[in-house]
């Protein structure tokens, strides 16, 4: 029998597995705490587990951590790990320390199949979904390494917030994501509140609806454009799930969400989506006055503007600071809570959209993107157009 990786299990799955060994749920809880709260991977050191259980664990299970290839530290304290996940793929995880919190940005896939135009992960194509153990393994590694490095006392946490904003589209890896979220939230695991775990999606409408039922955590939606014509060119998933459906899903999500707003992320691209007219259009969209969404459907939200982080081959530029500020002011004047994301860790390529790891593309997304860029170069007006 092949040894199972206990990082693949949420507490219910671990309890079921332990029951198969003839062990009570209480034992599973103890084991879960050793793994996630104490960061222990050696069953022999789990001193309050019976010898018979430790022997069984030694035979049938392991705690399979990720293999770090590098750990880089930015001047601003941001830390980036590169993990080898086999088959020529590597993924990235970023820790962003702030005064009152420590946020871990976690990857959900090796690559991404959505292929957004402004995202370096998207340009690399897609190799495979990460397993629950590989998603949780990023948190396990970061939390316990940082605790040691920062010399934290027992019970102190290095990571207080998790954002699923690394490589990949988390809602295209739903089956592996949800157990991982449960480990993060579990009191016997990392004990993070639902408000402090954020799933960021480019707009997988059916999975937003399922997440609302299965595990409603904070939701961020990568909007980037407030009309379908423009969003189609930036986020290809929009052709499948246009704004009307996305806004409805966001609205409905709030019935169960731990926060009373959706965060809309908006990457500021010079000359593409950053004019005063685009700002007005965004205001109209969330207020339920856009022709591209259901009339009257208001979505309570906060807007997070992300200055574009350039990478080679994107063919796009970051909006100038004055334009980002003017855009933010226009939204604020209309009553929308708006923040501008500070760029962190760009000296180690750890900023939003710069996570590229190493991906053995199996989808030839990069070829499609290249073709699309060439086609658009022949019709440049569309990308910058504002929907009337
Ligand atoms: N796939 C998910 C989560 C990962 S991307 C999503 O798209 O939401 C995390 C965030 O980084 C998204 O808001 C994404 O739009 C943004 N992003 C991607 N590339 C970027 C870039 N080059 N500059 C700034 N932000 C970028
Ligand atoms: Fe994928 Fe998100 Fe990048 Fe789009 S922005 S390509 S959905 S990781």
């Amino acid at each position: 029998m092949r040894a199972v990786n206990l990082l693949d299990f949420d507490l219910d799955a671990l309890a079921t597995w332990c029951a198969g060994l003839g062990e009570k749920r209480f034992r599973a809880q103890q084991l879960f705490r050793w793994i996630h709260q104490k960061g222990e991977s050696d069953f022999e050191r789990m001193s309050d587990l019976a010898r018979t259980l430790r022997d069984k664990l030694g035979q049938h299970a392991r705690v399979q951590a990720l293999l770090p290839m590098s750990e880089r530290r930015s001047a601003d304290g941001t830390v980036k790990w590169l993990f080898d996940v086999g088959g020529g793929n590597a993924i990235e995880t970023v820790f962003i320390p702030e005064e009152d919190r420590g946020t871990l940005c976690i990857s959900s896939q090796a690559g991404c199949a959505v292929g957004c135009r402004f995202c370096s992960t998207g340009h690399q194509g897609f190799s495979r979904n990460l397993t629950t153990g590989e998603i949780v393994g990023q948190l396990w590694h970061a939390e316990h390494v940082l605790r040691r490095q920062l010399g934290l006392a027992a019970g102190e946490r290095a990571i207080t917030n998790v954002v699923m904003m690394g490589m990949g589209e988390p809602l295209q890896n739903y089956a592996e994501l949800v157990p991982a979220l449960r480990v993060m939230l579990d009191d016997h695991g990392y004990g993070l509140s639902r408000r402090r775990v954020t799933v960021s999606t480019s707009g997988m409408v059916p999975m937003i609806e399922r997440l609302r039922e299965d595990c409603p955590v904070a939701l961020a939606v990568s909007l980037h454009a407030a009309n379908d014509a423009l969003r189609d060119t930036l986020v290809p998933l929009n052709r499948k799930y246009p704004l009307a459906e996305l806004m409805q899903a966001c609205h409905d999500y709030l019935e169960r969400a731990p926060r009373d707003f959706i965060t809309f992320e908006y990457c500021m691209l010079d000359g593409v989506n950053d004019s005063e007219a685009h700002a007005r259009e965004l205001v109209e969209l969330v207020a339920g006055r856009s022709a591209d969404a259901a009339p009257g459907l208001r979505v309570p939200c906060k807007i997070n503007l992300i200055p574009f982080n350039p990478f080679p081959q994107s063919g796009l530029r970051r909006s100038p600071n004055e334009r980002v500020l003017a855009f933010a002011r226009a939204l604020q004047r209309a009553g929308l809570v708006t923040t501008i994301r500070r760029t962190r860790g760009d000296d180690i390529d750890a900023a939003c959209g710069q996570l590229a790891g190493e991906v053995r593309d199996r989808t030839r997304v990069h070829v499609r993107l290249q073709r699309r860029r060439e086609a658009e170069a022949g019709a440049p007006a569309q990308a910058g157009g504002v929907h009337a």
Side-chain angles (χ1 to χ4, degrees), residues 118-119 165-166 168-169 200-201 222 224 265 267 306 308-309 352-353:
F118 48 84
C119 171
M165 293 187 188
E169 167 50 53
S200 176
T201 178
S222 297
H224 311 309
E265 294 163 282
C267 180
I306 317 174
F308 170 62
N309 292 307
C352 295

Side-chain angles (χ1 to χ4, degrees), residues 301-319:
C301 61
K302 289 189 180 172
I303 311 286
N304 192 209
L305 302 177
I306 317 174
F308 170 62
N309 292 307
F311 58 93
Q313 304 103 35
S314 74
L316 296 162
R317 290 179 311 269
R318 174 186 290 198
S319 303

Side-chain angles (χ1 to χ4, degrees), residues 121-143:
T121 306
H123 277 246
Q124 285 186 307
F126 175 71
S127 180
R128 69 168 174 88
N129 282 327
L130 299 185
T131 62
T132 297
E134 288 167 335
I135 298 173
V136 170
Q138 298 169 63
L139 177 56
W140 189 86
H141 182 92
E143 174 66 35

Side-chain angles (χ1 to χ4, degrees), residues 23 43 48 110 137 196 206 216 273 315 332 336 380:
E23 299 288 340
F43 301 126
D48 57 0
R196 290 174 175 269
N273 64 356
Q332 283 158 349
L336 295 182

Side-chain angles (χ1 to χ4, degrees), residues 65-69 82-93 107 109-111 127-131 133-135 138 167 357-360:
L66 288 171
L67 206 63
M69 296 166 74
L82 184 67
F83 294 107
D84 183 354
V85 291
N89 293 310
I91 54 148
E92 295 185 323
T93 310
S107 293
Q109 299 180 310
S127 180
R128 69 168 174 88
N129 282 327
L130 299 185
T131 62
E134 288 167 335
I135 298 173
Q138 298 169 63
M167 296 165 69
E358 196 67 50
V359 174
R360 289 276 173 270

